[in-house]
Amino acid sequence: MTLEEIRSRLQSGVPGCQVELVVNGSPSGQNSLLLDRDHGLAAATLLCDQIQLDFCSNVTAVDWPDREKTDKVKTKQMVDGEEKEIEHTIKTRIPGFLEVVYHLFSMTKHLGPVVIRMRTGNRSDDVTLPSLTPIWRSAEFQEREAFDLYGVVFEGHPDLRRILMWDGFTDYPMRKDYVPPPDDELERLREQ
Amino acid sequence: MTQVAEDIMEISMGPQHPSTHGVFRMDVRLEGERVLRLKPVFGYLHRNHEKIAESASYLAAIPYTDRLDYLCSMTNNWGYTLAVEKLAGLAVPERAEYIRVIVAELTRLQNHAGMVGFLLQDMGASGTPLMYAFTQREKVLDLFEELSGARMMCNYMRFGGVRVDCSQQWLEATARLVGAFGGFLDEFEQLLTGNEILMARTQGVGVLPRELAINAGVTGPGLRASGVNYDLRKVDRYGVYERFQFRVPLGEHGDVFDRYMMRVLEMRESLKILEQALRDIPGGAIMDPKAKLRGLRPKVGEAYARIESPKGELGFYLISDGSPNPYRYRVRPPSLINLTVLEDMCLGQNIADVVVILGSIDIVMGEVDR
Amino acid sequence: MLGLGILKGLVETARNFLGSYIDKERLVTVQFPEERLPVAEAARNFPFLIYDGVDPEQGLRCVACQICEKECPPRCITIEKSKDKKPDFVGKQQFYPAVFDIDVSVCMSCQICVEVCPFDAIRMDNEFELSTTDRFGGLLWTKEKLARPNEHYEAIHPTEAAEVEARRAEEKAQADAKKQPSTVTQ
């Protein structure tokens, strides 16, 4: 079953679901489907029940920070009575987001990797995503790890708390803008 | 009446414990001796391997993968190099593929022998089966030292092949080990499998139902002990595994005894694969001629590759943005996912069985915490 | 009969115990440190720098290209290139490392520095008893402590050293043939 077929099944099975095909540039050829947040749970239920993708192998969170794209655009303008081509640099700010990638397989039918992704709104206050733990129990610890290390809040997770860092920790270590504490942190705390 | 409440005790089988297979903690709520609730707590060995790999180049991450599941460094290397080869589109010559299969099956032998030994030690057998298993494990580690230079942290595989070639004497020494291993397994089984104490402590204990195993993503011998026929060597057919004849043992009950028998039977199947690989290994190059050692810059994209490591499905997910360092590097640890069902298997059992069930899952904290 | 499995197991234990008096294969304990097993030829533990000849300063093969410093995964190598050039073993003017430090406590013996060195200047030693009581600097090895003669390398890794020598001799012969043009066409 190809990715296009799965995409059309999702669009017909879950009304209102927006599914986009994300093409992969590398020779591995593993393209993925981008689902929107509101219909994520319904789409995952369809994938598990009807297409029998019963094994969620890997749940990964990825941090895409804000980027600035600079484009050089040539426009024609009247300068001193002559038409000249002047180059403008236009800077567009692409907002960042957090992304969670799920790799799905089928143990009963031996189907290959089906990759689905979901993106949050931004990296600061709009970081909730639906949890897929009610469908695939294997996502339980991995979603806790995504919450712990990236700050993605999963709605509907039975037990969302930190898993690898200690409970009083307040930052998200795997983000690209994380600054680790200085090496002499212990001495400084002792001096205080 | 607080009669029932008086019997309830919360203990922490703390990180420093001789039977928890590393720095691992379990918060257990007990009523008398029966387990009511069990929450695993880990993170004591968290070294943030994924972030280190993001700041190191692709080549420099290979020695760090040795230290993930520190007992099986060769298969960790293979999983990572398979992911990078998929990402960059590199091909591996045949001799290198055969060598990879040989060292991976040797790794499986020494891992399963150690697992059975540690399980018996957790049950109180005070190290005798463990030391018998370790005599064979030492021979395998000596072979690894002759081949790659180090016993455990081998750092042997490279993108597009393996680092050094194996000599004819090494292949002959491996063939001698494989020939003698069958006799060792017969003696080992005579010591253990018919033992009434072992059977009483493991049969019917820690049952994992089939549907829960699939849904919770349990992989490896634990999954096959519950009756699901899913071995990545047969499903994905990565490497040259499709050229070898071997069977996949399956269990019926999914209890600790089935998981123990899985390891013993898989050791016998590994011996078959090793005999065939040692017989058929061709000559030739061991590295892809197009692969460079330094400065690998794959194209923008991502790849997910998985192998059947002795603990389960070890997967590596890499996202590349064209620079010499990976943009996102993720390890899918089999021991962590297998721990999801620890609570389900332990509910209603005695506290003494918790140690036995944990030993049968076969976790290594280097992999759980990374 | 109940207990037959345990009895068979005890037979197995007795076979191993009594057999260790008769059979060498079953007596597996090596009384370390009085008794030691021979070390495999390929065993590696910590790197060292090679020098040709007898002078560790002049014969040092390292030209401070800093490739090993860049590729080292835990970044335990510190190199400072010299400002001047000095003649090396064959008399050619080369840069040399003014500072070459390796931190023993950080190095993880991964051997990547050896693989990427283009000049065969750094190789792996197999000595593992490196502990010291000097807490401040005892585990930071400088260039003087790291330099070993080429004979040492040939003694610990004979087959590897033979291959390296053959390759270097071939490269030298090719370089010499390029320098002297062929006199056949005169």
Side-chain angles (χ1 to χ4, degrees), chain B residues 172-225:
Chain B
E172 285 164 13
T174 313
R176 277 197 297 272
L177 173 82
V178 168
F181 211 93
F184 159 73
L185 274 181
D186 292 332
E187 286 187 12
F188 208 45
E189 282 207 82
Q190 183 190 334
L191 177 66
L192 294 176
T193 307
N195 193 315
E196 282 84 3
I197 304 177
L198 179 79
M199 289 200 284
R201 277 203 76 171
T202 58
Q203 283 176 344
V205 168
V207 177
L208 181 63
R210 192 167 181 268
E211 289 72 28
L212 180 61
I214 298 179
N215 192 263
V218 176
T219 47
L223 175 72
R224 295 193 279 279

Side-chain angles (χ1 to χ4, degrees), chain B residues 274-296:
Chain B
L274 276 169
E275 280 166 21
Q276 292 168 48
L278 287 167
R279 191 189 59 209
D280 295 336
I281 181 169
I286 53 162
M287 274 289 279
D288 184 16
K290 285 200 307 267
K292 289 186 304 182
L293 194 60
R294 302 176 56 210
L296 178 71

Side-chain angles (χ1 to χ4, degrees), chain B residues 55 59-60 63-64 67 132 135 145-146 148-150 153-155 158 163 187 190-191 194-197 293-294, chain C residues 3-6 8-9 12-13 15-16 26 28 42-44 67 71 73-75 108 110-112 115-116:
Chain B
S55 59
L59 176 68
Y64 287 113
R67 286 141 171 94
Y132 288 174
T135 53
E145 193 179 19
E146 274 181 42
S148 76
M153 305 294 138
C154 301
N155 186 17
R158 293 284 178 265
R163 181 164 58 85
E187 286 187 12
Q190 183 190 334
L191 177 66
N195 193 315
E196 282 84 3
I197 304 177
L293 194 60
R294 302 176 56 210
Chain C
L4 192 62
I6 299 181
K8 280 200 205 160
E12 177 52 40
T13 323
R15 185 189 307 160
N16 262 308
R26 297 217 186 250
V28 289
R44 63 176 196 253
I67 291 181
E71 296 290 327
R75 294 183 215 144
M108 53 174 173
C110 65
Q111 209 201 34
I112 286 186
E115 275 178 69
V116 297

